[in-house]
Amino acid sequence: MPEANYSKGEIMAAAGAREIKDGQNIVVGLGLPQVAALLAKNTHAPNISMINEQGVVGFSPVDPAVGMADPRMWYKATYFNSFIGTLGSFLHRGKVDIGFLGALEVDQFGNMNSTMVGGPGNTIRHFTGSGGANDIASLAKNIMIIMRHEKRKLRAAVQYITSPGYLGEGNLRQSTGLKGGGPWRVITDKAVLGFDRARGRMKLLSIHPGVELDDVLENTGFELLRDEQLPATVPPTAEELKLLREVIDPTGMYI
Amino acid sequence: MPEANYSKGEIMAAAGAREIKDGQNIVVGLGLPQVAALLAKNTHAPNISMINEQGVVGFSPVDPAVGMADPRMWYKATYFNSFIGTLGSFLHRGKVDIGFLGALEVDQFGNMNSTMVGGPGNTIRHFTGSGGANDIASLAKNIMIIMRHEKRKLRAAVQYITSPGYLGEGNLRQSTGLKGGGPWRVITDKAVLGFDRARGRMKLLSIHPGVELDDVLENTGFELLRDEQLPATVPPTAEELKLLREVIDPTGMYI
Amino acid sequence: MVKLNKIRSLSEAVASVRDGSHLFLSGFAISRNAIAVAHELIRQNKRELTLSQCIGAMDADLLVGAGAVKRYIYGGGSLDRFGPLWNINRAIEQGAIEVDEFSGLSMALRFLGGSLGLPCIPIQSLLGSDILKNLLNKEVPEVKVTECPFTGEKMVLLKTLQPDVAFVHVQKADCTGNAIIQGPRWDEDAAKAADQIVIVADEIIPTELTPFLVEEVRIPAGRVSMVVHQPYGAHPTSLYGVYDYDREHLTEYASMARTPDGMQEYLDRYVRGVKDFSAYLEAVGGLEKMIRIKADALKKY
Amino acid sequence: MVKLNKIRSLSEAVASVRDGSHLFLSGFAISRNAIAVAHELIRQNKRELTLSQCIGAMDADLLVGAGAVKRYIYGGGSLDRFGPLWNINRAIEQGAIEVDEFSGLSMALRFLGGSLGLPCIPIQSLLGSDILKNLLNKEVPEVKVTECPFTGEKMVLLKTLQPDVAFVHVQKADCTGNAIIQGPRWDEDAAKAADQIVIVADEIIPTELTPFLVEEVRIPAGRVSMVVHQPYGAHPTSLYGVYDYDREHLTEYASMARTPDGMQEYLDRYVRGVKDFSAYLEAVGGLEKMIRIKADALKKY
């Protein structure tokens, strides 16, 4: 296995960016989602609208930010409003093509937990909660999750459903009344995963160069659907790496 | 009877202005309502917020306008929004003290018609309809109507209830679920009328100087409640007349 | 970076409208009407349209007068002191169009709910009125009197509205669709309720400028399908800060619209009988008129 | 013309809050927090408060850490990369406060509905989640799963929220209460949902200037009860266009709030142990610090 000349963050950003089509409306959060979206915007998708849930649209950050509430994320925004102007008249109106989400845990049905995990004894540890995540998971046409590939994070069942995926096998999501399309991609540091949307289950789509299939399977807490032939994830191009390193994240804060 | 040194419009404006308290939120339309509110603002109530239903607040017009859609009405506004920002977050939120309304017809319960009247045969004539009038009548704490005193306009029953008053005798308005306080004053060119709010019926409060009681009663299409002692409406003061003629409506467009 | 260019000609944008569509036009009485759009819809002979507006305006009155409208959903309206909406009132009196008549706020809430993708929204006006009685008597109910399950209060539940296309005349927009509306914006939620938004801008600004005017951007590019550049496209209604209403022409319109024959003559003279909106602008006084109605920089009218 | 002067001191404005009130504070994570208000509420030892926010922020975390909060209604939150809301998470883990946890949009719609005086409003997220399951299990229901009577779609009906008092930190306001918010305004509807609005402005502008800035006025005077002039009142969180967040102090806060003892030490050092907000500003670095975090005119941070 040749040593790759790119980092895990870089192939994740590149894989995420390639899933984005020009002209789409995309809700992004801090970190790799934003990096992936900016990479797409700087290459094949210059006309995407990036949306920040609390009311910022069309921004073009030039300095690394510490979160969505950091005005660095709002630089050169072309629209300010409130949650109502983003999660309302974009998302609930059915006009968000891709919602990026992170989570503490994701399960085989794409359900996500960002609220709490059990601690020692009967205790719980409480985390960030939903923010807009539940709404985005419920209502966006496609959900893209970017996360580390670890068995404790990719679980058979999450401990708390903060943000619904397919909820369970079959058409449970639709019968529950959820209008968005549901989970669509999970980009990890080992693979690109997708979903069999009819069955509501996670499926392995490609493995990053240099990663073994067993490594993926062992670090996943449930059985992944997969085709017999598994392609390798296309690695980042020289142009993409140059953009990532020199323009989008020059201080290496996220990648 | 001494010849009055003021016009009917001037005593109507002055009588309307005196009903306004400082600091109130007031929805006004074109014409005498606006003149009355501006007179109050220029005298004892400098801190009222005047509200225009389509999304304009805090305006100070200096030129006569042809209607609410005329930007002359919006001059020096301090807030722009939409119907939602005026009829929503002021009116429906319960924060409008006085709503001024006009109407084709008003009945003894303060119900108002601005939609249609019967024509010859079985025909109807269709007019302006509600605009914000139904909402204002339903939700403002107090409704003030300024109109000409004619038997065909002050009727026992209106032909169409565009904007609800007390609907009928007794507490029908409350049991219908309407949250605003209902009709409160009707200022005509002959008298100031109010309501017995418990009974929901119109009541004569004062008669303009020079007008006979019989003149009022004959030109009202229903029986008016009244106390035995009826005061005369206080005529406009010299200061009020000066303001009306020189500052508020110098071209005499409305008064 | 290449920016998506959504600029289309007025005729291209209007050609995308299918007969039978539900349209929203941005007019309120005599202000910021989508007049150029109404003209082009008439010239392209679009039929069986449904129109919805919070408050009826000249743009809708033109379309009703031209026989293009099947159904009109609105909350009342007029041409302010220039007169009533003659064509709309006449069509209602004669039963020539289907009309759903609401109040200003109930229309505004139906659009707000539609802009948020909510299926329904409550209101606490309308109760006790003949407006509500008429609506409840209709075969296709879009209103329902009910109680709040939490407070027990009576309320009217309204079905929300989502027009197929909104045509919104604005002061400025960039070519990606970021639209600046100055002054009151009665039409902002209705625009966002629509499935497709077509911005008609009196002025196109460079995208580099948009971030500096961000506080005045009311409709974001991500919701906009097309941008039409049409100077004076709201004439003879006013465009706050850009031009005043044309008193002379509104008086002429209100006088001709008073009768069916007069209205047809108006349409022949100013809409059907002219090649395009530029020819209309010439017919109503051209450059000299436009200079005369230019807005004062301070007063904005 | 005399203009109503609603200017009050911070301590007067906060003194008007009754124990047990339901308050809204304008913070979102580490931006535009009502920090000066939170400090003064703590110094005046207000108790048993209910707080509600779309997204939890430092202002709420301070109040929970000081033991002033009985119930917190919110949609999740953090201090961005400075860390979690230590006090809030700890209080939830220990059952020390009542918590109603929603999502960002469901809180936003509850406030929007409250701002319009609607008793309830529907939403179509939450379905299928444990957030909804937890809320339905509560004794006082504020959510109900139902169907739209027009479309048959499933929806969650939410009881709307109307706080008693909203404290909203803004860039500029005039003395009558017209408040300018620049940048995103996650708090605009929540403010309008409240019965009383107290504007805390970093800068007071003359009323003569307001009409020229009208497009940026987000909360109108007619809805505002009091105006407090408090420069740097959002410190250490950022005020878009005025000052950046104070990285140094946020790091110190996040580190001290990590333990109950550390939090009490923080409160003693910076809140309870200082006379007023001016003394706090001196304690965190005074003029030199404020010059260092001044926002760049172009970048706005």
Side-chain angles (χ1 to χ4, degrees), chain A residues 167 173-178, chain C residues 119-120 149-150, chain D residues 102 120-137 141-149 152-159:
Chain A
L167 294 172
R173 181 180 168 92
Q174 280 163 293
S175 64
T176 302
L178 291 166
Chain C
C120 55
F150 307 113
Chain D
F102 286 79
C120 55
I121 195 161
I123 190 172
Q124 292 178 300
S125 56
L126 295 182
L127 291 162
S129 71
D130 285 331
I131 300 175
L132 181 63
K133 198 187 287 179
N134 272 7
L135 289 166
L136 291 173
N137 285 344
E142 288 168 327
V143 298
K144 183 175 151 64
V145 178
T146 179
E147 281 177 8
C148 172
E153 290 170 74
K154 265 200 198 158
M155 60 185 203
V156 180
L157 207 56
L158 303 167
K159 187 166 190 279

Side-chain angles (χ1 to χ4, degrees), chain B residues 22-23 25 41-42 46-47 49 57-58 60 76-81 84-85 87-95 179, chain D residues 1-4 114-118 162-163 178 188 192-196 210-211 214-215 217-223:
Chain B
D22 199 17
N25 293 328
K41 197 177 166 77
N42 277 278
N47 310 301
S49 273
V57 181
S60 303
K76 290 219 172 166
T78 54
Y79 185 59
F80 286 136
N81 202 298
I84 291 298
L87 299 186
S89 56
F90 273 98
L91 180 72
H92 207 302
R93 182 64 185 79
K95 299 295 187 186
K179 295 171 86 179
Chain D
M1 201 180 296
V2 180
K3 284 277 183 181
L4 190 64
S115 79
L116 304 176
L118 311 181
Q162 296 188 332
N178 290 301
E188 183 184 340
K192 292 177 183 165
D195 197 51
Q196 306 288 326
T210 310
V214 60
E215 297 291 353
V217 173
R218 305 303 180 181
I219 301 174
R223 289 295 318 276

Side-chain angles (χ1 to χ4, degrees), chain D residues 70-148:
Chain D
K70 187 186 169 199
R71 187 174 176 205
Y72 188 47
I73 309 166
Y74 83 135
S78 74
L79 300 176
D80 277 349
R81 293 226 167 165
F82 290 99
L85 298 165
W86 289 108
N87 295 292
I88 290 168
N89 287 339
R90 190 157 51 228
I92 293 173
E93 289 163 14
Q94 299 173 349
I97 57 173
E98 297 165 34
V99 179
D100 293 350
E101 199 164 334
F102 286 79
S103 67
L105 182 59
S106 48
M107 285 300 293
L109 285 171
R110 294 188 74 192
F111 284 129
L112 174 66
S115 79
L116 304 176
L118 311 181
C120 55
I121 195 161
I123 190 172
Q124 292 178 300
S125 56
L126 295 182
L127 291 162
S129 71
D130 285 331
I131 300 175
L132 181 63
K133 198 187 287 179
N134 272 7
L135 289 166
L136 291 173
N137 285 344
K138 296 216 173 205
E139 272 181 44
V140 183
E142 288 168 327
V143 298
K144 183 175 151 64
V145 178
T146 179
E147 281 177 8
C148 172

Side-chain angles (χ1 to χ4, degrees), chain A residues 59-75:
Chain A
F59 42 92
S60 302
V62 291
D63 293 316
V66 299
M68 289 191 300
D70 186 336
R72 284 157 189 75
M73 274 286 274
W74 316 341
Y75 183 62

Side-chain angles (χ1 to χ4, degrees), chain D residues 40-94:
Chain D
E40 188 63 22
L41 284 163
I42 294 169
R43 273 194 297 271
Q44 292 193 18
N45 201 28
K46 300 292 177 185
R47 314 303 289 176
E48 303 278 307
L49 299 174
T50 291
L51 297 185
S52 55
Q53 291 186 313
C54 286
I55 301 291
M58 183 182 173
D59 45 16
D61 199 58
L62 278 164
L63 283 162
V64 171
V69 178
K70 187 186 169 199
R71 187 174 176 205
Y72 188 47
I73 309 166
Y74 83 135
S78 74
L79 300 176
D80 277 349
R81 293 226 167 165
F82 290 99
L85 298 165
W86 289 108
N87 295 292
I88 290 168
N89 287 339
R90 190 157 51 228
I92 293 173
E93 289 163 14
Q94 299 173 349

Side-chain angles (χ1 to χ4, degrees), chain B residues 28-75:
Chain B
V28 295
L30 185 71
L32 276 174
Q34 179 196 327
V35 170
L38 280 173
L39 181 58
K41 197 177 166 77
N42 277 278
T43 53
H44 64 284
N47 310 301
I48 54 173
S49 273
M50 288 167 65
I51 301 168
N52 216 204
E53 65 179 52
Q54 84 272 27
V56 189
V57 181
F59 42 93
S60 303
V62 290
D63 293 316
V66 298
M68 291 191 299
D70 186 337
R72 283 156 189 77
M73 276 286 275
W74 315 343
Y75 183 62

